[in-house]
Amino acid sequence: ASIVLGTLFATTVNVLWNRQLTIRSSINKEVGELRLLRRALYGCFGTAQHSKRRAVALDLTSNYVKTLQLETQIDAVAYLKDIQAKRGISMNEMDELADMMHGIDGAAASRQSSVSTASSL
């Protein structure tokens, strides 16, 4: 019986350790991608004329990180239920940022006249 319990304990510890390594790896990957995104935002909206768009984009990114932090808290289930009720879990700040960069707003940042012409048609 003690061999079985020892094996079970060792297996459980090994599984939990592997999960922890996977979580750490995922967090490090996410942090790296967020750093790259931040640099890309400065590249897209780095000029003085795009300072408002840059501020909005950086705020969206910051809010995304805050959401990630909230999702790891003890009361994450209640938080996620609240988000689901308000806007749905499938939508987040990265969707808004993607719309901003690839939608009309993003296009307007790079070619205002062609976008305004297209939107008037």
Side-chain angles (χ1 to χ4, degrees):
S2 63
I3 293 174
V4 172
L5 288 175
T7 303
L8 178 62
F9 179 75
T11 302
T12 302
V13 169
N14 188 38
V15 167
L16 292 174
W17 178 251
N18 286 334
R19 285 183 184 171
Q20 186 177 16
L21 290 176
T22 302
I23 290 169
R24 284 183 182 179
S25 175
S26 297
I27 289 171
N28 285 332
K29 183 178 178 184
E30 183 94 18
V31 168
E33 290 174 356
L34 286 167
R35 285 181 179 151
L36 182 62
L37 175 61
R38 184 173 163 258
R39 292 182 144 226
L41 291 174
Y42 274 100
C44 290
F45 305 117
T47 62
Q49 73 185 48
H50 301 304
S51 63
K52 288 181 184 177
R53 286 185 180 90
R54 180 177 57 246
V56 169
L58 291 173
D59 281 344
L60 287 169
T61 305
S62 178
N63 290 339
Y64 174 72
V65 171
K66 289 174 186 171
T67 299
L68 291 178
Q69 290 173 333
L70 289 170
E71 289 174 355
T72 63
Q73 302 301 316
I74 292 173
D75 57 348
V77 173
Y79 171 75
L80 291 172
K81 284 181 180 179
D82 185 48
I83 293 296
Q84 177 66 31
K86 288 181 181 174
R87 68 170 191 223
I89 291 178
S90 63
M91 293 295 295
N92 67 34
E93 295 81 6
M94 291 294 106
D95 295 317
E96 293 178 52
L97 183 59
D99 290 345
M100 182 180 168
M101 293 183 72
H102 299 293
I104 294 298
D105 191 34
S110 60
R111 40 186 210 282
Q112 182 66 40
S113 63
S114 62
V115 171
S116 60
T117 301
S119 62
S120 67
L121 296 176

